[in-house]
Amino acid sequence: MKNSKEKIDMKTLTITGLALCFSLSLSAQEQTNTAAVQKIRQEGLENSKVMDIAFQITDVAGPRLSNSPGLKRAQDWAVRQFTSWGLKNVHLEAWGQFGKGWQIDKYYAATTLPYYHAMIGAPKAWTPGTKGAIKSEVILIKADTITDLLPYKGKLAGKIVMFDQVTIQPLQNSYKADAVRYTDAELAKMAEAAPQPQGQRPRAGAANNMMAQMMKMREIRAAMASFMLEEQVGLLLSYGRGNHGTFFTSNGASYALDAKPVAPELEISAEDYLHILRLLRAGEKVEVEADIRTSFYDQDPQGYNVIAEIPGTDRKLKDEVVMIGGHYDSWHSATGATDNAAGAAVMMETMRILKAINFKPKRTIRVALWSSEEQGLHGSRGYVAKHFGDPKTMVLTKDHKKISAYYNLDNGTGAIRGIYLQGNTAAGPIFQEWLTPFQDLGAKTVTAGNTGGTDHQAFDAVGIPGFQFIQDPMDYNTRTHHTNQDTFDRLAEEDLKRAATIVASFVYHTSEREAQIPRKELPKTPEVPKQ
Amino acid sequence: MKNSKEKIDMKTLTITGLALCFSLSLSAQEQTNTAAVQKIRQEGLENSKVMDIAFQITDVAGPRLSNSPGLKRAQDWAVRQFTSWGLKNVHLEAWGQFGKGWQIDKYYAATTLPYYHAMIGAPKAWTPGTKGAIKSEVILIKADTITDLLPYKGKLAGKIVMFDQVTIQPLQNSYKADAVRYTDAELAKMAEAAPQPQGQRPRAGAANNMMAQMMKMREIRAAMASFMLEEQVGLLLSYGRGNHGTFFTSNGASYALDAKPVAPELEISAEDYLHILRLLRAGEKVEVEADIRTSFYDQDPQGYNVIAEIPGTDRKLKDEVVMIGGHYDSWHSATGATDNAAGAAVMMETMRILKAINFKPKRTIRVALWSSEEQGLHGSRGYVAKHFGDPKTMVLTKDHKKISAYYNLDNGTGAIRGIYLQGNTAAGPIFQEWLTPFQDLGAKTVTAGNTGGTDHQAFDAVGIPGFQFIQDPMDYNTRTHHTNQDTFDRLAEEDLKRAATIVASFVYHTSEREAQIPRKELPKTPEVPKQ
């Protein structure tokens, strides 16, 4: 759907890539299948559907908060789409209990004093709406502790309130570009990274301290939330970090079925928040009107992943599996284009490419579109626990030996520049060889370093080779990741086409490779910290 | 109000500045008064009130569209403020007939199909609201000519519509910083600029062609507007150029008392517009609900400027005047912080500084906060016509000889880096000398070049030395100029403090200088283009 301004001559690229491939692959131990790469490049770069797929996931399906109607729409569409491409074993698979779904049904808020100004914002996820249309003077609460709240007792019913947080700083002009790509120097540095050990647990003393601090903060927050609810606060206005109308969103309550109720809470843009805060601090009267409606969905508290396969055809290897995936859920204030419709669209497009070139893989190729990643990698962790093993006990299933590797994509819309080995150095030379035909697309870096925060960790945690690709950062951290501006507009067409092409080639070779991808030593059963 | 992160040691700066001043001013023909500069720097840099002033103009008064209640609030406050500082002859002065005021009383719009999404937007200035809360499927109109509209006849009553404009391009990632400052090289190039002639009129043939084209486009637009009105369109959705929740605003109708009525028109952010456009182009159904209310004000169609003075004290020169100013009016979708509360606040602060150091000027110093600059420099042009002369006939008043110079500030929040001579090369050496004590603040460039688009042009047009300062661009063109994000947050405290200090020094020296600022040759009476 989106016209690309980065459009370049694909034929030139294809030929350059193949030339490189021929010249390098013959001398390497690991083999790349040049003919297959050529077909994949042709389909992925010249007949891409990745933007159409992304359009369906974002614009058509909408925000995809875990267990929301939007996620369900997107999941149902993916099932239909995978089926129409001829994939097998297409289904929604429950991974365990998630909790409540939630969505915004109406959002309206504006200052009416000292003058009218409609505000940019969104209710925090899993918070209730206002009691109809409300209007009140805004009360500025100064409270660091629960005791500080006592003077406000009996005065907040139906009122719109905000906290006077000293930590909130004035906005600054940005003299740096929002979007960046990795430089060659940065990639070279990544390539030299030493393998990192498995995530080490903090020492018991430090852990206890940190835990105690966190527990205390959580306690204060919980007590304040209870106070707001008991006092029947009409609406709590919260600071939405960001700039120029972009703000970062989050949840304001738990999605658990038995979650404690909370007062309505609205995240407004930094500009709108600071506007009110400056006026209140200066003693000016501010009045706000708001009308917020939200819905909860608890009829089916199960969480689901979308699963689909291209079945293996090799007599000996067809029971083995290569998995790819990316999370499909998003936050609620936009359509989660870079987090992570981008990754999900690339993985769907990867499957489409492999079907389009009529690939009959030796091993089974399975794609998973995870849910509830944003709440703690729940979808992938649930799936891994069910299919492969429990990271807590390291009790493994028989399928644990049958999976060669898992590849994940979830760092926005930026081009693939290489891959994180996640400490699995034995996989390094293999991936280096497989990247050779894609040097012309800027993908060449293999780093022994780790990256975290997404679903490959669920696999890595039970000793399955789980990888995430290196991607150009673009404006992920400044503008899109969890913001109200994470829309289809942010998607870089050329980058996504190339990503699907590269992933398809990796999957191809993983499927066809005689041996599985080498494994790291199995993680040890974690120690229970001593008290 | 705003804490500065750019805060630097003011004492160091003051001393450095003075040292420079001593060493350079002695060798120059034009003199700077070192003691006065020291006092001005002390007051302007160490006791600044410029952010408090800007807070009142923006956060407290609000959007200041010409003849709106917001502008009136800000004007009344300025009158009180000038009076409290002991300025004389403080008054609102009518400059002629403007037309209708207008303001937003309610703005709400959201998609309800394919799912709920509240939109970032604002009604176009001087457009009516919707007929209460409305909801309709969005109709995509494909029409380049009036004839193309005919198939829609009878189908648009109460409907929400948008045009399928092929000129609208997908958004792009921004690999350049939003905010920039001038580099030394850029400033050096400006310093070398040759004086530019007075604005030349296009040759008669070219003018006629351009005019004919413009007239045709205007005709089509007018006919389409009439069609929308006749068909009783519920709401027209327009594309708000911009990115990431920032959008640029404008007017959707004339402010004239006898302006033709138009249909309600809403400018929405590029993201929200493109979202709907992509869905409609793909054949998806989109439904929007909206509730927009606006008010018109026509009881007093006069436009007003705020005027205040520090009277001259020299027997021979007190009837002469040095003027400073900046426009006070803004667009409607934000509080016009950089366009142009910044310039107005600096000019107010300049007057405060001069009063605070107890300056008794030889010539009278007069400040003007113009209105209706945004609609064509009306406030300053009206003032100049009344006080100094008519640029059409070049019939001049007796006061034309009594004004030494006019200094203007209206290029955002960026630091003053020098001054545009507007072709007045004789003033060059004078200003170069006057900038000497501010080299440490980065203000050193004098360019013979012109700059346009604001109120100094009203003075220049009748041959009065009228100047605008060179300012660092910051994010004026990317984020703030006429946008919904032109808020107090964008103001750079240190830059504004320095600007007021430099302007105060210029005004001081213009007032005390034996002779007036030299003048260019008087403009010739413009030729009437031959038909």
Side-chain angles (χ1 to χ4, degrees):
Chain A
M1 283 300 297
K2 189 180 172 201
N3 294 322
S4 170
K5 296 219 176 119
E6 295 177 60
K7 194 145 191 171
I8 47 173
D9 186 338
M10 277 302 145
K11 278 183 188 148
T12 314
L13 274 188
T14 310
I15 292 161
T16 315
L18 290 177
L20 268 167
C21 175
F22 272 119
S23 64
L24 296 175
S25 68
L26 295 177
S27 64
Q29 206 169 9
E30 189 71 28
Q31 295 293 313
T32 54
N33 183 323
T34 311
V37 168
Q38 184 177 17
K39 278 193 209 165
I40 289 169
R41 283 183 74 115
Q42 179 87 16
E43 184 64 28
L45 300 178
E46 299 185 36
N47 193 32
S48 177
K49 298 288 178 285
V50 72
M51 293 304 275
D52 296 343
I53 297 169
F55 168 69
Q56 290 292 333
I57 303 175
T58 56
D59 282 342
V60 179
R64 299 174 309 284
L65 192 73
S66 290
N67 280 32
S68 68
L71 180 62
K72 186 72 169 65
R73 276 193 299 272
Q75 288 173 328
D76 290 345
W77 173 80
V79 165
R80 291 196 303 276
Q81 193 61 63
F82 281 139
T83 306
S84 80
W85 290 334
L87 300 198
K88 300 299 174 197
N89 195 19
V90 182
H91 64 289
L92 288 180
E93 183 174 314
W95 53 258
Q97 175 159 314
F98 172 72
K100 293 179 282 189
W102 179 91
Q103 77 173 14
I104 302 170
D105 295 327
K106 172 154 189 178
Y107 162 67
Y108 169 71
T111 63
T112 46
L113 284 180
Y115 44 85
Y116 186 86
H117 171 69
M119 298 194 287
I120 295 175
K124 281 196 165 190
W126 288 290
T127 60
T130 52
K131 287 191 179 154
I134 64 169
K135 185 188 257 195
S136 102
E137 189 177 347
V138 180
I139 296 175
L140 187 64
I141 298 179
K142 299 184 190 222
D144 297 320
T145 65
I146 303 156
T147 322
D148 294 342
L149 286 173
L150 295 180
Y152 298 94
K153 207 164 166 61
K155 296 174 185 162
L156 304 181
K159 291 284 188 282
I160 297 174
V161 307
M162 73 196 285
F163 281 88
D164 191 354
Q165 290 166 275
V166 290
T167 50
I168 292 174
Q169 293 295 311
L171 298 176
Q172 296 296 313
N173 272 307
S174 40
Y175 297 96
K176 282 185 183 168
D178 283 339
V180 289
R181 290 186 181 277
Y182 281 127
T183 62
D184 285 343
E186 285 167 330
L187 289 168
K189 203 173 166 191
M190 287 171 91
E192 288 164 12
Q196 289 171 285
Q198 298 281 79
Q200 289 193 332
R201 278 149 211 283
R203 280 166 298 133
N208 285 348
N209 271 346
M210 208 195 296
M211 191 69 86
Q213 259 187 350
M214 273 177 59
M215 289 302 288
K216 200 183 159 202
M217 276 179 59
R218 192 176 297 176
E219 231 170 67
I220 291 175
R221 272 205 302 268
M224 284 189 171
S226 291
F227 185 83
M228 296 288 124
L229 188 73
E230 280 159 25
E231 296 294 314
Q232 300 189 293
V233 160
L235 181 63
L236 172 61
L237 300 179
S238 289
Y239 180 78
R241 180 175 63 85
N243 213 339
H244 307 120
T246 304
F247 67 93
F248 291 78
T249 49
S250 59
N251 62 316
S254 164
Y255 48 83
L257 289 179
D258 60 352
K260 277 192 188 167
V262 297
E265 184 172 356
L266 176 67
E267 216 150 20
I268 53 176
S269 74
E271 289 82 7
D272 288 331
Y273 190 92
L274 291 168
H275 176 226
I276 297 175
L277 187 61
R278 286 189 301 265
L279 286 167
L280 292 176
R281 282 179 176 171
E284 299 283 335
K285 183 174 172 175
V286 179
E287 187 184 69
V288 161
E289 62 181 19
D291 189 359
I292 299 167
R293 289 175 228 157
T294 65
S295 290
F296 292 84
Y297 299 87
D298 58 6
Q299 282 196 312
D300 181 1
Q302 294 291 307
Y304 295 88
N305 302 312
V306 183
I307 306 290
E309 291 181 351
I310 302 174
T313 56
D314 183 88
R315 192 178 51 83
K316 284 203 311 205
L317 295 178
K318 67 181 179 185
D319 290 340
E320 292 192 13
V321 68
V322 185
M323 279 194 76
I324 60 173
H327 75 90
Y328 208 45
D329 61 308
S330 77
W331 283 100
H332 57 294
S333 69
T335 54
T338 70
D339 188 19
N340 180 35
V346 164
M347 292 316 190
M348 289 187 74
E349 168 72 357
T350 295
M351 298 303 272
R352 189 199 66 78
I353 292 170
L354 294 174
K355 278 303 286 184
I357 66 167
N358 200 23
F359 177 43
K360 309 285 184 202
K362 289 184 176 164
R363 293 180 178 83
T364 292
I365 298 167
R366 185 183 301 157
V367 62
L369 306 177
W370 311 115
S371 68
S372 307
E373 189 268 357
E374 295 294 1
Q375 288 75 43
L377 325 185
H378 293 324
S380 57
R381 281 180 173 156
Y383 184 90
V384 166
K386 190 169 145 189
H387 288 265
F388 303 117
D390 181 344
K392 292 205 191 86
T393 59
M394 281 307 287
V395 174
L396 306 175
T397 70
K398 66 178 171 44
D399 283 346
H400 186 273
K401 282 187 181 145
K402 300 271 184 176
I403 176 167
S404 176
Y406 169 75
Y407 302 101
N408 193 71
L409 202 67
D410 178 25
N411 274 176
T413 191
I416 286 182
R417 306 302 301 274
I419 193 164
Y420 294 95
L421 289 179
Q422 216 69 22
N424 185 345
T425 46
I430 303 166
F431 293 162
Q432 197 71 68
E433 170 58 27
W434 291 353
L435 284 174
T436 305
F438 301 105
Q439 298 226 346
D440 63 321
L441 305 186
K444 61 180 181 189
T445 301
V446 174
T447 174
N450 294 350
T451 189
T454 186
D455 298 296
H456 66 295
Q457 290 184 300
F459 291 81
D460 190 52
V462 294
I464 295 168
F467 305 100
Q468 157 100 340
F469 291 92
I470 301 169
Q471 290 178 267
D472 276 331
M474 316 296 271
D475 53 359
Y476 197 62
N477 294 314
T478 52
R479 290 285 170 198
T480 71
H481 177 241
H482 298 189
T483 76
N484 67 326
Q485 293 298 322
D486 194 6
T487 60
F488 182 88
D489 310 280
R490 314 305 162 205
L491 298 178
E493 182 173 357
E494 214 48 58
D495 294 48
L496 296 181
K497 282 182 184 174
R498 294 172 178 195
T501 304
I502 293 168
V503 175
S505 182
F506 265 64
V507 172
Y508 177 95
H509 288 97
T510 309
S511 158
E512 298 308 281
R513 195 172 190 271
E514 203 174 308
Q516 290 187 354
I517 299 295
R519 298 190 170 198
K520 295 186 290 190
E521 206 180 325
L522 276 186
K524 294 195 179 75
T525 313
E527 291 170 44
V528 179
K530 287 171 194 163
Q531 293 297 328
Chain B
M1 283 303 294
K2 192 182 175 202
N3 294 325
S4 169
K5 293 220 179 125
E6 295 178 55
K7 194 149 192 170
I8 48 171
D9 186 339
M10 278 302 146
K11 279 185 189 146
T12 313
L13 275 189
T14 310
I15 291 161
T16 316
L18 290 177
L20 270 168
C21 173
F22 272 119
S23 63
L24 296 176
S25 68
L26 295 177
S27 64
Q29 208 171 6
E30 189 71 27
Q31 294 293 313
T32 55
N33 182 325
T34 312
V37 169
Q38 183 177 19
K39 276 192 208 166
I40 289 169
R41 283 183 75 115
Q42 178 87 18
E43 184 63 29
L45 300 178
E46 298 186 36
N47 193 32
S48 177
K49 299 287 179 287
V50 73
M51 293 304 276
D52 296 342
I53 297 169
F55 167 70
Q56 290 291 334
I57 302 175
T58 57
D59 283 341
V60 178
R64 299 175 310 285
L65 191 73
S66 289
N67 281 32
S68 69
L71 179 61
K72 188 68 170 66
R73 275 192 299 272
Q75 288 173 327
D76 290 345
W77 172 81
V79 166
R80 291 197 302 275
Q81 192 62 64
F82 281 139
T83 306
S84 79
W85 289 336
L87 300 199
K88 300 299 175 195
N89 194 18
V90 183
H91 64 289
L92 288 179
E93 184 176 314
W95 54 257
Q97 175 160 312
F98 173 71
K100 292 180 281 189
W102 178 91
Q103 78 173 13
I104 303 170
D105 295 327
K106 174 155 189 178
Y107 162 67
Y108 168 72
T111 63
T112 47
L113 281 180
Y115 45 83
Y116 186 87
H117 171 69
M119 298 195 287
I120 295 175
K124 280 197 169 190
W126 288 289
T127 61
T130 52
K131 287 188 178 156
I134 64 169
K135 186 188 255 194
S136 104
E137 190 177 346
V138 180
I139 296 177
L140 188 64
I141 298 179
K142 298 183 190 223
D144 297 322
T145 65
I146 303 158
T147 323
D148 294 342
L149 286 173
L150 296 180
Y152 298 96
K153 212 167 162 56
K155 294 175 185 162
L156 302 181
K159 291 285 190 280
I160 297 173
V161 307
M162 71 196 287
F163 282 87
D164 191 355
Q165 292 167 271
V166 289
T167 50
I168 291 175
Q169 293 295 312
L171 298 177
Q172 294 297 314
N173 272 308
S174 42
Y175 297 97
K176 281 185 184 169
D178 284 338
V180 288
R181 291 186 181 276
Y182 281 128
T183 62
D184 285 343
E186 285 166 330
L187 289 168
K189 203 173 166 192
M190 288 171 92
E192 287 163 14
Q196 289 170 286
Q198 299 282 81
Q200 290 194 330
R201 279 149 212 282
R203 281 166 301 133
N208 285 350
N209 271 344
M210 206 196 295
M211 190 70 83
Q213 260 188 351
M214 272 177 61
M215 289 301 287
K216 198 181 161 206
M217 276 179 59
R218 194 177 296 177
E219 234 171 65
I220 292 176
R221 270 206 302 270
M224 284 191 171
S226 290
F227 184 85
M228 294 290 124
L229 187 73
E230 280 159 25
E231 295 294 315
Q232 300 188 293
V233 159
L235 180 65
L236 171 61
L237 301 178
S238 289
Y239 179 76
R241 179 175 63 85
N243 213 339
H244 307 119
T246 303
F247 68 95
F248 291 77
T249 50
S250 59
N251 62 315
S254 163
Y255 49 84
L257 289 179
D258 60 352
K260 278 192 188 167
V262 297
E265 184 171 358
L266 176 67
E267 215 151 21
I268 53 176
S269 74
E271 290 81 6
D272 288 331
Y273 190 94
L274 291 168
H275 177 227
I276 297 175
L277 187 61
R278 286 189 301 265
L279 286 167
L280 292 177
R281 282 178 176 171
E284 299 284 334
K285 183 174 172 177
V286 179
E287 186 183 68
V288 161
E289 63 181 17
D291 189 358
I292 298 167
R293 289 173 228 158
T294 64
S295 289
F296 292 84
Y297 299 87
D298 57 6
Q299 283 197 311
D300 181 1
Q302 295 292 307
Y304 296 89
N305 302 312
V306 184
I307 306 290
E309 293 182 349
I310 302 174
T313 56
D314 182 87
R315 196 176 49 83
K316 284 200 314 198
L317 297 177
K318 67 182 179 184
D319 290 341
E320 292 192 11
V321 68
V322 185
M323 279 194 74
I324 60 174
H327 75 88
Y328 208 43
D329 63 306
S330 77
W331 283 101
H332 56 293
S333 71
T335 53
T338 70
D339 189 19
N340 180 37
V346 164
M347 292 315 189
M348 289 187 75
E349 168 71 357
T350 296
M351 297 303 271
R352 190 200 65 78
I353 291 170
L354 295 174
K355 279 301 287 185
I357 65 166
N358 201 25
F359 177 43
K360 308 288 182 197
K362 288 184 177 166
R363 292 180 178 82
T364 292
I365 299 167
R366 186 183 300 157
V367 63
L369 306 176
W370 311 115
S371 68
S372 307
E373 189 270 353
E374 296 294 1
Q375 287 75 42
L377 324 187
H378 293 325
S380 56
R381 283 181 171 154
Y383 184 90
V384 165
K386 191 169 144 188
H387 289 265
F388 303 117
D390 181 344
K392 291 203 192 88
T393 59
M394 281 307 287
V395 174
L396 306 176
T397 68
K398 67 178 173 38
D399 283 346
H400 186 274
K401 284 187 179 146
K402 301 270 185 173
I403 176 166
S404 176
Y406 170 75
Y407 301 101
N408 192 73
L409 202 68
D410 178 25
N411 273 177
T413 191
I416 286 183
R417 306 302 301 272
I419 193 162
Y420 295 96
L421 289 179
Q422 214 70 21
N424 185 345
T425 45
I430 302 167
F431 293 161
Q432 197 71 69
E433 169 59 28
W434 290 353
L435 284 173
T436 306
F438 301 105
Q439 298 227 347
D440 62 320
L441 304 187
K444 59 181 181 189
T445 300
V446 174
T447 175
N450 294 350
T451 188
T454 186
D455 298 296
H456 65 295
Q457 290 183 299
F459 291 82
D460 190 52
V462 294
I464 296 168
F467 305 100
Q468 157 101 340
F469 291 91
I470 301 169
Q471 291 179 265
D472 276 332
M474 316 295 271
D475 53 358
Y476 196 62
N477 295 315
T478 52
R479 290 284 170 198
T480 73
H481 179 239
H482 299 188
T483 77
N484 68 326
Q485 292 299 323
D486 193 6
T487 60
F488 181 88
D489 310 281
R490 314 305 164 205
L491 297 179
E493 182 172 359
E494 213 49 56
D495 294 48
L496 296 182
K497 282 183 185 175
R498 293 172 177 194
T501 304
I502 293 168
V503 176
S505 182
F506 265 63
V507 172
Y508 178 94
H509 288 97
T510 309
S511 159
E512 299 307 281
R513 195 173 190 271
E514 203 173 309
Q516 289 186 354
I517 298 294
R519 297 189 170 198
K520 295 187 286 190
E521 208 181 323
L522 276 187
K524 295 194 181 76
T525 314
E527 291 169 44
V528 180
K530 288 171 193 161
Q531 292 298 325

